[in-house]
């Protein structure tokens, strides 16, 4: 099944390069381009891509606001933020806006293609060590989103355990080892957690875990 991609970047050469990389893969297809945030929002609504590659800094509506608008729609695509800076402040806001991951613009072509495939499956595009370091820092400085208390009550004790481990950047295989469960069982629990919380993906679930107080940021050294 072909994964449809929308590329949003205000630099023509950069955008063209990403499009060439995507279109060179048999299972990926660029269905549209945008040079600013407003157009990205319009094209996402019109073309219904599976994944949007979104530049952070664009004229007019920036990538963060565009991400917020896109992910607020019904059945939204996954959004991957493209940036030249690793772990700067806009990335924290992008998490709150609904981004499913980040890529540096110097990413290698195979890694870009793999990233599109990863987020299209609903997985988080963040390395475990980066996930914990980033979330520990950004949750401490960003105001929490209101989360309905009833959502936590809907989770079973086992699902709370699984969510706490997801929030600590554990993979499904690692969670299976910690809890002495089959990996397939862990996947079922993770899917149930996402559904009950109304989370878009694992990244969103991690943010909600911090908001719900299931895990807390570690104090700064």
């Amino acid at each position: 099944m072909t994964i449809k991609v929308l590329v949003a970047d205000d630099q023509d050469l950069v955008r063209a390069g990403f499009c060439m990389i995507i279109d060179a893969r048999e299972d990926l297809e660029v269905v549209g381009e945008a040079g600013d945030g407003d157009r990205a929002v319009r094209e996402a609504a019109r073309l219904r891509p599976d994944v949007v590659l979104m530049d952070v800094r664009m004229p007019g509506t920036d990538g963060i606001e565009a991400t917020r608008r896109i992910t607020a729609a019904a059945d939204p695509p996954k959004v991957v933020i493209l940036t030249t800076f690793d772990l700067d402040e806009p990335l924290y806001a992008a998490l709150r806006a609904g981004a499913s991951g980040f890529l540096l613009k110097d990413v290698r072509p195979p890694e870009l293609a793999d990233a599109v495939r990863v987020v299209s499956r609903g997985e988080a595009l963040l390395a475990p060590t980066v996930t914990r370091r980033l979330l520990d820092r950004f949750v401490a400085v960003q105001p929490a989103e209101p989360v309905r208390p009833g959502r936590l009550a809907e989770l079973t004790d086992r699902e709370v355990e699984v969510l706490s481990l997801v929030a600590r950047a554990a993979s499904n295989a690692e969670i299976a080892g910690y809890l002495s469960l089959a990996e397939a069982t862990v996947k079922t629990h993770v899917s149930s957690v996402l559904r009950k919380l109304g989370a878009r993906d694992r990244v969103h679930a991690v943010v909600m875990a911090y908001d719900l107080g299931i895990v807390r940021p570690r104090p700064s050294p």
Side-chain angles (χ1 to χ4, degrees):
M1 188 173 180
T2 301
I3 300 170
K4 298 181 294 182
V5 182
L6 171 66
V7 180
D9 194 294
D10 64 329
Q11 298 183 47
D12 292 344
L13 288 177
V14 172
R15 194 170 67 247
F18 284 132
C19 289
M20 288 179 62
I21 293 170
I22 296 300
D23 278 334
R25 272 62 183 179
E26 292 185 358
D27 60 330
L28 309 179
E29 177 189 6
V30 175
V31 294
E33 301 179 36
D36 58 68
D38 284 329
R39 184 172 178 83
V41 174
R42 293 195 303 271
E43 291 296 271
R46 183 177 71 88
L47 299 171
R48 308 291 296 173
D50 301 302
V51 176
V52 178
L53 297 179
M54 180 76 73
D55 186 20
V56 172
R57 295 179 173 85
M58 292 186 288
T61 300
D62 64 18
I64 294 172
E65 178 59 27
T67 296
R68 184 176 294 109
R69 295 181 189 176
I70 288 172
T71 58
D75 192 23
K78 306 299 182 184
V79 178
V80 177
I81 296 295
L82 301 170
T83 178
T84 54
F85 303 100
D86 189 13
L87 300 182
D88 63 348
E89 293 302 321
L91 299 191
Y92 310 137
L95 272 181
R96 290 288 187 198
S100 293
F102 312 118
L103 281 178
L104 295 179
K105 286 191 175 182
D106 61 358
V107 62
R108 298 174 57 192
E111 294 171 347
L112 175 64
D114 286 342
V116 171
R117 298 182 184 108
V118 165
V119 296
S120 72
R121 297 194 298 264
E123 299 176 23
L125 185 61
L126 292 170
T129 55
V130 174
T131 301
R132 186 58 193 262
R133 186 172 73 249
L134 184 149
L135 287 169
D136 275 351
R137 181 178 168 193
F138 111 89
V139 174
V141 300
Q142 294 290 332
E145 291 179 335
V147 179
R148 297 201 322 268
R151 283 182 171 174
L152 183 56
E154 293 174 10
L155 301 182
T156 66
D157 290 343
R158 177 64 82 189
E159 288 168 348
V160 172
E161 284 184 297
V162 169
L163 177 57
S164 68
L165 290 169
V166 168
R168 291 179 172 85
S171 66
N172 285 351
E174 290 170 334
I175 295 172
Y178 294 146
L179 301 180
S180 299
L181 299 173
E183 191 169 346
T185 302
V186 172
K187 290 180 181 178
T188 299
H189 283 313
V190 171
S191 296
S192 180
V193 168
L194 296 182
R195 176 177 53 78
K196 289 181 178 180
L197 291 180
R200 290 177 293 270
D201 49 36
R202 289 174 80 109
V203 169
H204 191 201
V206 170
V207 173
M208 296 177 76
Y210 277 77
D211 289 345
L212 288 165
I214 293 174
V215 289
R216 298 191 181 280
R218 289 176 294 194
S220 301

